[in-house]
Amino acid sequence: MWSASRAGARAGRGFRFQDLVATLFVLRLWSEDDATAIVTPEGFDDISVQSASGSCFIQVKSRRESAGDFEPTELRRDLRSVAKAWVKRKDAELPAATILLLERPVARIPLPEWGSEAAQPGSSASSELAKELDALSFDNDQDSASFAASASVVVCPDPHAEAIRIVAEARDFPYGLAEIIVAAVCTQVGQTSDANADPDVARRAAVDIAGIDGLIDQVLATVDLKLLDEARSLGVCEAIDWRSSEGDSDVRPGMHVGAPHVAAGSLVPRVELTQQVIEVAVARRLAVIAGPSGSGKSALAYAAGYQTRTLYRWQHVHSLTPTGRTGRDAVALLSARIESLRPSAYAPVGVIIDDAGRHDPDLLDRLLRRLADLSNVITVVSIREEDRFPVPLLSAIATITPVLDDTFAAELWCDYRADNLTEWAGWREPAERAGGLLLEYVTLLTEGVNLEAVVSAQVAAREADPGRHLELEILRLASGANQYGVAVPAHAIQSALNVDSSAFIAASRRLIDEHLIVEDSGNLIRPLHEIRSAALARAAHPFGQQETLQRIVPLVTSAELARFLRRALESGADQAAMVQAASERIARDRTLQTLIAVASAFRANGLRRRADEWKRILDECDVDAGNAVNAFMMSRTKQRPDTEHLFKPEIVAAIERLRSVPTDPDLQLLWRKIDTALVEELTTAAVSDDDSTQLLLQAITVLRGFDVTALEAAARAIGARLTVWPLRDAADMTEALRRVAPELAERAVITAGGEQLLLRRVATETPWLASLERAADGVDGKWIFIDEELQPNQNEAVVEVCRLALALAPTAMIARVGAVDALGRLVKLGDYPLVDKAIPRENLPHALEVSENRAQARALSRKYGAGTLTAKLAAEAKALEALLDLLPEITLAHLGRVS
């Protein structure tokens, strides 16, 4: 059914490929300085070209890679079509030169590549192609000879890359800029093609080569090259180079799959599943590949990108925590980079977020929503099933799950058998032993035993040889971090082991050669795959990993520290020991980034431990999993006796018990180890640094519960900045202080000149706000309403004023703001006011409080999330059974209402 319904998708792909080919011809003529040339997409053929060197007509035939090469029978059919069009143009006295351009080669018939001498019209064709041309039927021999002399067949598999190369070489532009220029030209070509749907020849549109310089100047004037490159230089994201395939791109030993492995052809294709990812991404603009580790998620994501590399400009996300920048900065930089690429319907952009669970859930959710707001951008996400639930957007979306089914297992075995890479006589037994995991299946095929046995043998060989103990020490530290998806700087491991450079390099090289570790271009030892790294860590630590985990804390980068600590604590690392190592790291680094990383990791772990207690209460009250998170969230709100009787008794009982239980994590063990004077020094110093405002906000947020006296100096310094910071930053900072301790916010506001001074600043800088005054119990304001078209979102604007007022007046308990006319009278629609708000503080939580509430809900939801694919499917089956039980009642009730 899926295969039979792909005609529309294939047609759309063909049109986009045709636009790229037209773009290639436009840019080649531009590079040849043929200012008089004109290219007409969808003219008298797919593409018509008029130039000083001659005119020609091009017919384009696309073919996706998974469909393989063209067959000779298909070439004959296409040649007949080209010949028929050629005869019509000859009768109309149009130029004769004709090109049939194919995306893929033709089996058993050699064809020249586009741009070569042999590809020019009138060039001698290969004997095989000459036979096909001679076999065409014409009314006379003269037409047959003329067609053969004027027609050519060429192959151009990647017009996009060719076009970028032409632009880059013609003007010595960076490839990133050349790519944007190609996109702009392709957009113009696509728009011209759409315009030529008009049947009136007098209104036909064309692309004038003379206008391309103007288009390029427009791009140069609007694209900020520094901003475009900043996300790449900071390691946030970069363009995928499908042309590069690593020399060591063999995935059989169990490496984490990336773009180079796909480009090198190292993978057995999963055609239908890859096509499904592409179709979902194009239709919904977001495709989510979810499943357990080792199931082939990454391979599927990059295969989808590779299959569409000529149609989409793919970027992949590396890190959302770049060194020296906040997560919000990373999201903003990535969004700015994507926007700088000028995505359009004719030159769209694709983003791959592989192993998405390694990113902070809030940042990942923010990024996904930002990408969803950008037109002509699609996103492909691969994520472990258990990491999906903490991300709100991903937890509610249908996913694609790669499964090691019989068909694929048999294809993979056949491929390995043909290359003499497996001794198994059949595929079924290793497939069954693999438990549905692709990585485990590959290991069984190539090694004959499972992954645990393979890595255990590799570790044992080093334990038995004293000359290889250094390798074992490197492996312990690297695998201890790599099992959590965390890289370790090679120089940090060398320093920790106190060995000379030559010995370290030699030992590392042996580990790399045996596929036990991999070092990237940044000298970071990265995981081959989390499953393999975890197996290595277990094998190298027969008596437990606790000592090694403590040794790793000083070694990982500050950007990876929070992830390492969080994952290690989740896996059962001793909390007291990790607190000691983390506090020593804070004292050594003396940076706000490290302080934030440590505090946020232990806060996440504290919430996880609190969630155990919340779940115990919910279970004891017999609240079902479907209502558990909602019951918990209701317990965080103000008690409403008038409505609670509407809920089930078990939910009411759980809410009452949950209200008596603290929600903030208990971090006293960590707080006692952190130097108060150091916290005061770091936070106070950050206040005067405009580049550290967001870092300071994060620090104050995660330090809630720490000794308040450590933040008093920072609060006073913040007060001096509240009148000069952007209004939103000032409000966020004051609210963050209030959530730590109300007296800190009050002290900051007093230092700034008082609440009324800040409220007047809000009134001055907020459009249409006439006044904002501190009243006895709160804040009163008047927002002038002029016109519906000029002010379409009156309610949101007034609520935002209330939010700013309550943030900058921390002692106020209510914000009252109404929409008034020019005379100060309340604006009404009939007998009802247009907008007249009186919002108590507890009913208007700040974004920081909302974020905290969501983090608590996610911590609890993870306790109910299915840990394995089998458990997930079982839970879904149970839910469907419950729905089936309700269907008869729902149907009868519906029919009763209809009648």
Side-chain angles (χ1 to χ4, degrees):
M1 181 176 176
W2 178 267
S3 299
S5 61
R6 299 303 94 205
R10 286 193 291 270
R13 184 188 185 282
F15 290 133
R16 290 193 293 275
F17 182 78
Q18 184 176 310
D19 287 343
L20 282 170
V21 172
T23 301
L24 177 58
F25 276 86
V26 167
L27 289 169
R28 186 177 70 172
L29 291 166
W30 165 79
S31 70
E32 294 170 351
D33 294 323
D34 191 345
T36 62
I38 294 175
V39 174
T40 307
E42 296 295 352
F44 290 109
D45 213 318
D46 290 341
I47 304 165
S48 305
V49 176
Q50 295 172 256
S51 70
S53 59
S55 300
C56 66
F57 299 90
I58 302 107
Q59 194 166 124
V60 180
K61 298 297 179 184
S62 67
R63 190 178 183 88
R64 68 187 190 281
E65 194 163 359
S66 59
D69 293 344
F70 287 98
E71 289 297 323
T73 53
E74 294 172 303
L75 175 63
R76 292 176 197 128
R77 180 196 62 203
D78 293 336
L79 283 173
R80 287 195 295 269
S81 173
V82 171
K84 187 177 180 180
W86 179 87
V87 169
K88 289 182 179 180
R89 290 195 297 271
K90 180 183 75 72
D91 293 341
E93 297 183 353
L94 292 172
T98 300
I99 299 173
L100 173 60
L101 187 145
L102 307 176
E103 183 176 4
R104 296 190 59 76
V106 178
R108 301 179 298 282
I109 298 180
L111 296 175
E113 287 275 345
W114 182 89
S116 65
E117 286 294 327
Q120 301 306 313
S123 300
S124 299
S126 65
S127 58
E128 294 87 350
L129 178 58
K131 289 178 182 178
E132 299 296 336
L133 293 171
D134 290 341
L136 293 171
S137 176
F138 288 89
D139 291 340
N140 56 71
D141 292 341
Q142 185 178 355
D143 281 355
S144 178
S146 297
F147 178 75
S150 62
S152 61
V153 183
V154 300
V155 177
C156 185
D158 197 346
H160 184 242
E162 281 293 318
I164 293 173
R165 181 189 60 77
I166 286 173
V167 174
E169 292 178 359
R171 289 283 190 88
D172 198 23
F173 285 145
Y175 267 71
L177 177 59
E179 183 180 25
I180 298 173
I181 291 170
V182 170
V185 175
C186 190
T187 298
Q188 183 173 341
V189 166
Q191 292 168 342
T192 306
S193 180
D194 290 347
N196 281 336
D198 193 317
D200 188 348
V201 69
R203 289 201 291 266
R204 64 180 173 179
V207 178
D208 294 323
I209 305 305
I212 298 301
D213 278 323
L215 181 61
I216 291 174
D217 289 342
Q218 182 184 352
V219 171
L220 294 176
T222 57
V223 172
D224 185 336
L225 288 178
K226 182 179 178 182
L227 183 64
L228 180 67
D229 191 59
E230 193 170 7
R232 183 203 59 77
S233 62
L234 288 172
V236 176
C237 78
E238 66 178 344
I240 299 178
D241 184 1
W242 298 110
R243 297 167 300 173
S244 74
S245 55
E246 295 174 352
D248 185 18
S249 57
D250 187 3
V251 295
R252 293 182 177 97
M255 294 181 68
H256 185 89
V257 173
H261 305 105
V262 177
S266 303
L267 307 179
V268 175
R270 307 179 79 168
V271 178
E272 287 198 11
L273 204 54
T274 302
Q275 197 61 29
Q276 185 180 353
V277 173
I278 295 169
E279 298 291 349
V280 170
V282 171
R284 302 177 187 168
R285 298 185 50 226
L286 172 63
V288 181
I289 307 167
S293 289
S295 59
K297 303 182 299 297
S298 298
L300 192 56
Y302 283 107
Y306 186 72
Q307 288 291 327
T308 56
R309 67 191 182 281
T310 60
L311 307 177
Y312 288 85
R313 294 170 288 156
W314 285 100
Q315 313 281 311
H316 52 174
V317 176
H318 292 309
S319 172
L320 294 183
T321 53
T323 302
R325 296 295 187 94
T326 67
R328 286 190 176 188
D329 288 340
V331 172
L333 285 170
L334 199 152
S335 301
R337 177 180 173 87
I338 301 299
E339 289 182 278
S340 295
L341 293 175
R342 298 165 63 109
S344 72
Y346 312 98
V349 171
V351 179
I352 291 178
I353 309 176
D354 183 33
D355 188 20
R358 62 197 165 94
H359 302 300
D360 177 84
D362 281 333
L363 289 177
L364 180 60
D365 192 68
R366 179 190 294 271
L367 173 61
L368 290 171
R369 294 181 189 278
R370 182 70 188 98
L371 291 175
D373 290 337
L374 300 177
S375 300
N376 305 302
V377 176
I378 66 173
T379 307
V380 175
V381 174
S382 73
I383 188 168
R384 294 186 304 170
E385 188 66 37
E386 59 268 32
D387 290 334
R388 190 164 62 90
F389 297 102
V391 185
L393 186 64
L394 298 184
S395 63
I397 196 169
T399 62
I400 300 166
T401 302
V403 177
L404 183 64
D405 55 31
D406 290 354
T407 302
F408 183 61
E411 288 177 358
L412 198 59
W413 173 81
C414 288
D415 179 72
Y416 280 22
R417 188 75 170 174
D419 292 338
N420 294 318
L421 294 170
T422 182
E423 295 182 1
W424 286 90
W427 61 268
R428 191 172 296 279
E429 183 181 350
E432 290 174 351
R433 287 172 57 181
L437 295 180
L438 178 59
L439 178 59
E440 186 77 353
Y441 180 56
V442 169
T443 305
L444 283 164
L445 286 180
T446 56
E447 306 290 346
V449 291
N450 64 18
L451 186 61
E452 291 282 352
V454 172
V455 299
S456 294
Q458 290 174 311
V459 170
R462 285 161 176 79
E463 289 174 334
D465 183 354
R468 305 185 74 180
H469 283 184
L470 176 57
E471 294 177 41
L472 194 58
E473 288 300 310
I474 295 172
L475 194 59
R476 286 189 177 119
L477 292 172
S479 64
N482 292 169
Q483 66 183 325
Y484 302 130
V486 174
V488 189
H491 68 81
I493 294 180
Q494 180 190 339
S495 177
L497 296 177
N498 194 26
V499 295
D500 67 79
S501 178
S502 298
F504 180 79
I505 291 172
S508 299
R509 183 57 55 197
R510 287 193 293 271
L511 293 172
I512 292 170
D513 290 343
E514 292 188 37
H515 303 288
L516 290 169
I517 61 173
V518 61
E519 186 177 10
D520 67 10
S521 58
N523 296 320
L524 292 172
I525 296 179
R526 292 197 172 276
L528 293 162
H529 193 286
E530 284 189 26
I531 286 183
R532 189 178 183 88
S533 297
L536 283 167
R538 288 191 296 271
H541 296 88
F543 304 109
Q545 302 181 38
Q546 185 57 56
E547 182 182 348
T548 297
L549 294 178
Q550 289 175 250
R551 293 175 67 194
I552 293 171
V553 172
L555 306 183
V556 299
T557 65
S558 58
E560 298 267 37
L561 181 58
R563 175 179 172 84
F564 172 74
L565 289 171
R566 178 173 56 81
R567 293 282 300 273
L569 290 165
E570 283 179 2
S571 66
D574 182 74
Q575 181 168 283
M578 298 305 283
V579 162
Q580 182 63 39
S583 61
E584 290 173 0
R585 173 72 184 265
I586 292 172
R588 185 198 76 181
D589 289 4
R590 303 184 72 85
T591 66
L592 210 53
Q593 290 92 334
T594 299
L595 176 63
I596 293 168
V598 170
S600 60
F602 280 93
R603 182 170 288 278
N605 184 61
L607 281 179
R608 182 178 61 84
R609 295 160 72 95
R610 286 287 191 212
D612 289 330
E613 186 177 1
W614 304 332
K615 186 175 186 299
R616 179 182 58 77
I617 292 172
L618 290 160
D619 290 344
E620 289 175 358
C621 293
D622 203 25
V623 176
D624 63 86
N627 289 316
V629 175
N630 288 334
F632 171 76
M633 293 304 290
M634 284 189 288
S635 73
R636 303 301 102 191
T637 60
K638 188 175 180 180
Q639 197 166 359
R640 296 285 300 274
D642 56 326
T643 60
E644 289 190 356
H645 69 279
L646 300 174
F647 300 103
K648 294 179 180 179
E650 62 268 27
I651 292 179
V652 175
I655 291 173
E656 185 175 350
R657 288 185 59 183
L658 286 168
R659 283 200 172 114
S660 64
V661 175
T663 54
D664 270 1
D666 182 4
L667 301 181
Q668 290 309 309
L669 185 63
L670 175 65
W671 296 152
R672 286 194 294 268
K673 291 287 185 178
I674 297 178
D675 182 9
T676 304
L678 177 60
V679 171
E680 180 177 345
E681 175 190 329
L682 293 176
T683 53
T684 306
V687 176
S688 58
D689 183 0
D690 288 336
D691 293 333
S692 298
T693 304
Q694 289 301 317
L695 277 176
L696 177 61
L697 180 63
Q698 287 184 45
I700 294 172
T701 302
V702 298
L703 286 170
R704 192 150 55 93
F706 191 68
D707 186 354
V708 174
T709 60
L711 295 175
E712 288 177 350
R716 287 192 294 270
I718 286 170
R721 302 282 289 170
L722 290 180
T723 56
V724 295
W725 272 334
L727 200 55
R728 169 63 59 193
D729 289 347
D732 287 347
M733 204 69 74
T734 309
E735 182 63 20
L737 288 172
R738 191 189 68 81
R739 286 177 54 73
V740 172
E743 60 269 24
L744 290 179
E746 293 169 24
R747 183 174 289 111
V749 169
I750 290 171
T751 303
E755 291 180 342
Q756 186 57 57
L757 178 71
L758 294 176
L759 292 174
R760 285 175 183 160
R761 183 188 172 199
V762 176
T764 301
E765 297 183 19
T766 304
W768 311 113
L769 188 58
S771 64
L772 201 59
E773 304 289 334
R774 185 68 171 87
D777 60 342
V779 177
D780 294 339
K782 294 180 179 180
W783 186 82
I784 299 175
F785 175 72
I786 301 295
D787 179 74
E788 177 81 27
E789 190 171 327
L790 186 63
Q791 302 160 287
N793 302 313
Q794 311 95 25
N795 189 72
E796 291 86 343
V798 170
V799 170
E800 180 61 20
V801 169
C802 293
R803 185 174 282 112
L804 287 171
L806 291 173
L808 292 171
T811 63
M813 302 308 297
I814 189 170
R816 293 177 289 263
V817 181
V820 299
D821 61 18
L823 298 177
R825 300 170 302 194
L826 193 65
V827 177
K828 292 187 176 183
L829 296 176
D831 294 330
Y832 299 96
L834 177 66
V835 183
D836 189 20
K837 299 292 183 183
I839 308 178
R841 181 178 290 278
E842 62 268 20
N843 290 355
L844 192 62
H846 190 271
L848 295 173
E849 186 175 350
V850 172
S851 178
E852 180 73 15
N853 290 341
R854 288 175 178 171
Q856 294 169 1
R858 287 197 302 270
L860 180 60
S861 67
R862 292 191 73 169
K863 300 297 178 182
Y864 291 93
T868 64
L869 179 61
T870 302
K872 172 179 177 287
L873 293 174
E876 290 173 347
K878 185 177 180 181
L880 285 173
E881 288 175 4
L883 181 61
L884 287 173
D885 291 339
L886 290 172
L887 273 178
E889 296 180 30
I890 296 172
T891 304
L892 289 173
H894 175 71
L895 292 174
R897 284 198 299 271
V898 172
S899 60

